[in-house]
């Protein structure tokens, strides 16, 4: 896989005062650690060009840290070390970018179909020098078979049943989807159980993350799949389904 390798230039000018995010709270330093400066720069990119280009609404600027960066970054505690993560419908990079900042060991692909958003994401990845992140333009259903993941993340993308139909097919055997949801997570999960079984899910539950960092805690629906059968290549399928050639009778 090709990842961006450009590093942030220490001489990068500060954004105008009216395009800066609120000051980072103390919890941000504890969560992002050595990457706090990068997290601050990302928050400023969301507050400035992110608002102008429709990545976040202008009313969200005042709560970028608590509602967005911290709320997403704490999900890292639910992800195993060195996992391959696909963030489906990444939009402005949430939760994928905060996860990459909290956990540099993760290899993260931001999957997003809209060009204006992937352009913004490319700029963020380059500006922050995130060599553990790549941007992949396309819908989840369009990239099946081209890429796979240990973990699929998604936030505010679609109802759970539809989201599972997009995300679970991208998982390797034993993989897990982490869907950031609100207070209705338990009810939504109950309504989606039949669909999850059809898609190969073997377990599901509502979890919470971010104790000591965010209040209220981040609510996450965790859905794990079983063993994924090896996919048959098109050539092999063509050979298997081809009708045998008719033999001419001997003369």
């Amino acid at each position: 896989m090709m990842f961006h390798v450009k590093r942030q230039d220490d001489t990068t000018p500060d954004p105008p005062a009216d395009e800066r995010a609120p000051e980072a709270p103390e919890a941000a330093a504890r969560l992002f650690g050595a990457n706090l400066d990068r997290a601050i720069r990302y928050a400023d990119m969301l507050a400035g060009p992110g608002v102008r280009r429709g990545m976040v609404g202008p009313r969200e600027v005042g709560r970028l840290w608590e509602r967005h960066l911290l709320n997403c970054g704490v999900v890292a505690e639910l992800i195993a070390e060195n996992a391959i993560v696909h963030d489906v419908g990444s939009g402005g990079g949430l939760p994928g970018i905060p996860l990459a900042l909290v956990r540099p060991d993760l290899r993260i692909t931001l999957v997003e179909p809209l060009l204006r958003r992937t352009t913004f994401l490319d700029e963020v990845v380059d500006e922050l020098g995130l060599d553990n992140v790549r941007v992949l333009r396309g819908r989840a259903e369009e990239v099946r078979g081209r890429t796979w993941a240990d973990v699929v993340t998604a936030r505010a993308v679609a109802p759970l049943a539809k989201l599972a139909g997009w995300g679970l097919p991208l998982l390797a055997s034993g993989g897990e989807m982490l869907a950031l949801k609100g207070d209705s997570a338990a009810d939504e999960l109950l309504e989606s159980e039949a669909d999850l079984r059809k898609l190969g899910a073997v377990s599901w539950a509502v979890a919470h993350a971010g104790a000591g960092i965010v209040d209220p805690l981040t609510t996450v629906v965790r859905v794990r799949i079983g063993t994924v059968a090896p996919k048959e290549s098109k050539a092999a399928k063509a050979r298997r389904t081809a009708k045998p050639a008719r033999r001419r009778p001997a003369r």
Side-chain angles (χ1 to χ4, degrees), residues 107-230:
R107 286 181 286 167
I108 297 178
T109 297
L110 309 177
V111 182
E112 169 56 49
L114 295 183
L115 177 60
R116 65 182 177 85
R117 292 177 179 169
T118 57
T119 299
F120 176 79
L121 292 174
D122 279 326
E123 293 170 4
V124 170
V125 170
D126 286 340
E127 175 69 21
L128 303 185
L130 296 175
D131 57 5
N132 62 329
V133 179
R134 69 165 181 164
V135 179
L136 179 60
R137 185 185 174 197
R139 300 181 184 278
E141 57 269 35
E142 295 171 345
V143 303
R144 292 175 190 170
R146 294 165 49 194
T147 185
W148 63 273
D150 302 309
V151 175
V152 165
T153 60
R155 179 178 189 248
V157 174
L160 183 60
K162 180 177 289 187
L163 178 59
W166 296 339
L168 295 188
L170 298 179
L171 291 170
S173 294
E176 186 175 45
M177 183 179 73
L178 302 177
L180 282 70
K181 290 289 184 177
D183 295 337
S184 62
D187 292 337
E188 193 173 346
L189 183 57
L190 185 63
E191 295 172 356
S192 304
E193 287 184 351
D195 296 289
L196 297 179
R197 289 192 183 94
K198 291 178 182 178
L199 290 166
V202 296
S203 66
W204 46 84
V206 176
H208 295 91
I213 301 293
V214 292
D215 184 17
L217 299 178
T218 299
T219 301
V220 182
V221 174
R222 307 183 71 169
V223 182
R224 187 171 296 277
I225 65 168
T227 302
V228 177

Side-chain angles (χ1 to χ4, degrees), residues 45-59 61 64 120:
M45 292 185 77
L46 287 174
V51 170
R52 293 197 305 271
R53 293 155 69 177
M55 302 299 114
V56 295
R59 294 183 180 180
V61 172
L64 275 175
F120 176 79

Side-chain angles (χ1 to χ4, degrees), residues 228-248:
V228 177
K231 290 182 172 59
E232 187 178 30
S233 69
K234 292 182 179 180
K237 184 177 181 180
R239 290 194 297 270
R240 178 173 57 81
T241 58
K243 294 181 180 180
R246 295 181 62 183
R247 295 182 177 179
R248 294 182 179 180

Side-chain angles (χ1 to χ4, degrees), residues 13-21 41 44 47-49 52:
D14 291 332
D18 59 351
E19 292 190 355
R20 295 181 191 173
R41 180 58 185 148
D44 285 339
R52 293 197 305 271

